[in-house]
Amino acid sequence: MIVRLVKMTFRPEEIESFKSIFEDSKEKIRAFPGVMHLELLQGSEQKNMFFTYSFWQSAEDLENYRHSELFKSTWAKTKPLFKA
């Protein structure tokens, strides 16, 4: 099993946009082969800092996701919202 924690910091004005993107894609990601768990965490003091916390059956499953159209389309919408 692979545990993956991804930290993302967004421009404050883009927080709601990111939450909307995540809301629209979370069930598709959870249904992706090999995904055992996915959740979104938000910083308590830095509200523009988020973490995705996910469990994967294998490194191969994670790599398959990272090369999928689902990842590419979600990333294309998410990346421009980053602060850094």
Side-chain angles (χ1 to χ4, degrees), residues 15-45:
I15 291 172
E16 292 307 314
S17 295
F18 170 68
K19 285 181 175 181
S20 178
I21 292 166
F22 185 82
E23 194 62 32
D24 290 345
S25 61
K26 69 181 180 183
E27 294 306 324
K28 295 172 194 164
I29 297 169
R30 287 176 177 150
F32 200 87
V35 177
M36 302 165 62
H37 178 80
L38 171 68
E39 67 182 289
L40 181 66
L41 307 170
Q42 185 174 10
S44 59
E45 292 184 24

Side-chain angles (χ1 to χ4, degrees), residues 44-83:
S44 59
E45 292 184 24
Q46 289 184 295
K47 297 294 185 185
N48 64 327
M49 185 181 298
F50 289 84
F51 300 86
T52 56
Y53 182 56
S54 58
F55 302 160
W56 299 79
Q57 289 179 358
S58 70
E60 182 179 2
D61 290 324
L62 176 56
E63 282 304 306
N64 288 339
Y65 169 69
R66 292 180 72 203
H67 294 287
S68 72
E69 286 305 312
L70 175 58
F71 175 81
K72 290 174 187 175
S73 66
T74 304
W75 186 248
K77 294 177 217 168
T78 302
K79 188 176 178 182
L81 309 178
F82 287 154
K83 179 178 180 184

